[in-house]
Amino acid sequence: MCGIVAYIGPKEAYPLLMKGLQRLEYRGYDSAGVALFNGDIRVYKKKGKVQELADYVSTLSYEGTMGIGHTRWATHGEPDDINAHPHFSGNRRLVLVHNGIIENYDVLKKALEKEGHHFESQTDTEVLVHLIEEIQTRENLPLEEAVRVALTRVVGAYAIVVMDKQEPGKLVGARKASPLVIGIGEGEYFLASDATPLIEHTKKVIYLNDQEIAVVERNGDLQIKKIDSNEVQTPFIHELDMEIEALEKGGYDYFMLKEIYEQPDTIADAMRGRINPRENWVRLGGLEKIYEQIANAQRFIIAACGTSWHSGLIGEYLIEDLARIPVEVEYASELRYRNPIITDKDVVIAISQSGETADTLAAVELAKEKGALVYGIVNVVGSSIARATDSGSYIHAGPEIGVASTKAFTGQVTLLTLMALDLAQRRGEISETRFQELLTEFKNIPDKVQKVLEKNQQIKYIAGEIQDKPNALYLGRGYNFPVALEGALKLKEISYIHAEGYPAAEMKHGPIALIDEQMPVIVIATNRSAYDKIVSNIQEVKARKGIVIAIVTEGDETISHIADHTIEIPDTEEPFTPLLSVIPLQLLSYYIAVMRGCNVDQPRNLAKSVTVE
Ligand code: F6R
């Protein structure tokens, strides 16, 4: 969703801001803008891509060593030049960019209108900058104090940066439930929604905590305070562990394809140092610290959204099957609003690639209020969910830039598998011999993923066969039912083809009515449990002339005689099949989207981190 980047220092701000906005494009947006200070403040903003903004500004003057930039994902008011950020105050003294939603903007707007304020846009953001102006002029306060007081009157979520032409030596940033990172360079500061625009300038960052306001000054001063109490905070400087190459496409046409191909490495990275088949152990550092509490938990509740929810479902199968602990999987957005029963005997596992998903973060807060222990499985280091949980594990997949999640999904499933194995062993739910067998096979998964990737030409061919179909059905059983859901989601989000995932046996209870010769049915039919049943399901589809694309185990001879296309994947233990079976589905949706001319990395309407509810 919206992205913020701001700069103050000795260099020209405009090229730095534009490069920063390009780095933030992956978050999803529909308009972009910059404000520059050079004696006065100039604002340039445009509906559309960052490149359209660059084309527009290229003929204008863009000097200045301080500025703020923004990519907007529309919430209040349609995407157009006027609603794009930055927004001016009424007196043109202040300019502000915002990520989040001001929920009480309507009440504030009416009160401000009574005071004589006029608004140009339909945004909640413009209300906030007018509120700061009103407080600043009425109470004659310095910028940071006017911003702080204004924020105490705001209900909602925000990350903001404000610039004041009468106090040109400083930028003020603040956050509540929406991320903001300060980058510390040589005699310069950056502020940004995440670390991606900062990495080429500095590795020293401060993650602003919730309800904090920061002032960064040209003279090098930096101060952070609590918004409600005005108390000064001691900043903690983190060292970023990320290289610039991770943010480049590295020769691939799209980030999504690069990320699909990275999976043998990212899965191995998620295992690294956490598994040793020779010595027969699995260890997750985060689990170690809280093992006593986890061992006595009456149940686990997994909370997540989208693809992360799908990996959570696989987690349920893994943890119940191997560690014999009851698990419930909840959409975070439902959990937080439905008055759930959560007690201090529960463990809540929050799964999130970005670590910033608003609903998942709110579910974490709710679980903590109710006394549950909260464990995070997160990719982005230092993100809000990573910091809000009691303990957790990073998946170490590196930056995921493609909007459609791929390597984060397999990283999450890898972590959940390690967790299930660790708990199974510690709880004595599994024999040492079986544990050893599973561990030895698990170590082989990255190589087996590589083998599946080598099927790319066959998968591309199949993509060509079905690219024009308007619908698709995905079926799977057991461990592969969540993979069917994930396959359908990948196809929908990047190719805009309507797709549904179903447990294969449920087909007879409704979706079978949809099957005709136009319907591709993608069936995950690996040869372990319930194989005969899934063969019957495939026969049922064929009897109705559906086009069957089956993901089968190498050497399968039964299904290849029935299905229209079969994609073979290496044999593995049943609990590990999702890590292999999801790969052809990722590639299939990728190739279909490319063939249909879709922008794979930035699909319409979607945002990479969903920081509003
Ligand atoms: C789908 C996708 C989304 C995310 C969801 C949760 O490809 O990326 O469905 O999985 O928005 O995001 P995180 O994992 O960042 O909490």
Side-chain angles (χ1 to χ4, degrees), residues 217-321:
E217 300 199 39
R218 195 180 282 286
N219 64 11
D221 288 354
L222 176 148
Q223 191 175 55
I224 297 176
K225 286 183 172 180
K226 275 278 169 217
I227 290 170
D228 47 3
S229 63
N230 213 2
E231 219 175 280
V232 176
Q233 305 295 298
T234 312
F236 179 77
I237 300 175
H238 295 254
E239 194 74 21
L240 285 176
D241 179 18
M242 198 194 287
E243 296 306 326
I244 191 71
E245 295 72 39
L247 305 176
E248 310 283 356
K249 282 194 213 142
Y252 288 89
D253 289 343
Y254 286 99
F255 279 108
M256 182 182 176
L257 190 62
K258 177 184 175 220
E259 288 157 6
I260 291 173
Y261 275 88
E262 279 173 353
Q263 290 175 108
D265 292 333
T266 52
I267 294 173
D269 289 344
M271 292 180 185
R272 201 175 310 288
R274 292 168 165 165
I275 177 170
N276 188 329
R278 269 192 318 264
E279 293 172 17
N280 225 17
W281 56 255
V282 168
R283 289 291 173 266
L284 280 177
L287 215 55
E288 205 104 307
K289 288 191 272 176
I290 52 159
Y291 182 68
E292 284 307 306
Q293 284 161 282
I294 282 219
N296 298 322
Q298 67 180 17
R299 66 176 173 161
F300 285 1
I301 302 168
I302 297 180
C305 302
T307 286
S308 299
W309 186 81
H310 296 156
S311 70
L313 276 186
I314 297 172
E316 176 184 25
Y317 284 70
L318 285 162
I319 295 166
E320 292 203 345
D321 186 11

Side-chain angles (χ1 to χ4, degrees), residues 94 96 128-136 143 146-147 150 162:
L94 307 175
L96 174 144
L128 178 55
V129 68
H130 278 248
L131 178 65
I132 299 169
E133 170 196 349
E134 178 66 24
I135 292 167
Q136 187 182 43
L143 176 65
V147 173
V162 196

Side-chain angles (χ1 to χ4, degrees), residues 305-308 352-354 357 403-405 412 489-490 493 610:
C305 302
T307 286
S308 299
S352 176
Q353 185 288 126
S354 62
T357 300
V403 163
S405 188
Q412 292 162 351
L489 179 64
K490 288 289 89 87
E493 61 185 339
V610 183

Side-chain angles (χ1 to χ4, degrees), residues 8 99 112 128 154 192 224 229 414 447 465 478 481 570 589:
I8 184 165
N99 180 7
L112 287 163
L128 178 55
V154 157
I224 297 176
S229 63
T414 303
D447 289 343
E465 295 289 291
F481 156 54
S589 51

Side-chain angles (χ1 to χ4, degrees), residues 564-584:
D564 297 270
H565 306 278
T566 49
I567 303 166
E568 293 194 345
I569 60 173
D571 191 19
T572 188
E573 294 282 353
E574 177 90 6
F576 309 152
T577 52
L579 289 168
L580 305 184
S581 60
V582 76
I583 308 291

Side-chain angles (χ1 to χ4, degrees), residues 20 60 62 64 82 87 106 120-121 148 152 166 202 211 252 261 268 344 346 387 403 444 474 483 509 525 610:
L60 306 167
Y62 44 79
I82 295 174
H87 285 283
D106 205 28
E120 291 170 2
S121 75
R148 193 189 67 76
T152 61
Q166 290 183 23
T202 178
Q211 308 255 31
Y252 288 89
Y261 275 88
D344 58 4
D346 296 318
R387 286 181 298 138
V403 163
N444 296 331
Y474 286 72
V483 179
H509 300 283
V610 183

Side-chain angles (χ1 to χ4, degrees), residues 372-448:
L373 180 83
V374 186
Y375 194 85
I377 296 183
V378 173
N379 188 32
V380 177
V381 176
S383 57
S384 302
I385 294 172
R387 286 181 298 138
T389 45
D390 296 304
S391 184
S393 305
Y394 286 117
I395 63 171
H396 298 305
E400 191 179 62
I401 309 287
V403 163
S405 188
T406 52
K407 63 175 179 172
F409 174 79
T410 48
Q412 292 162 351
V413 175
T414 303
L415 251 288
L416 288 159
T417 310
L418 293 173
M419 188 176 209
L421 287 166
D422 189 348
L423 290 169
Q425 189 193 35
R426 290 178 193 256
R427 287 165 56 91
E429 296 288 353
I430 192 168
S431 73
E432 283 301 296
T433 322
R434 179 71 185 133
F435 184 73
Q436 171 107 50
E437 266 169 26
L438 285 171
L439 236 51
T440 308
E441 173 56 13
F442 198 44
K443 265 288 201 193
N444 296 331
I445 290 296
D447 289 343
K448 292 191 173 182

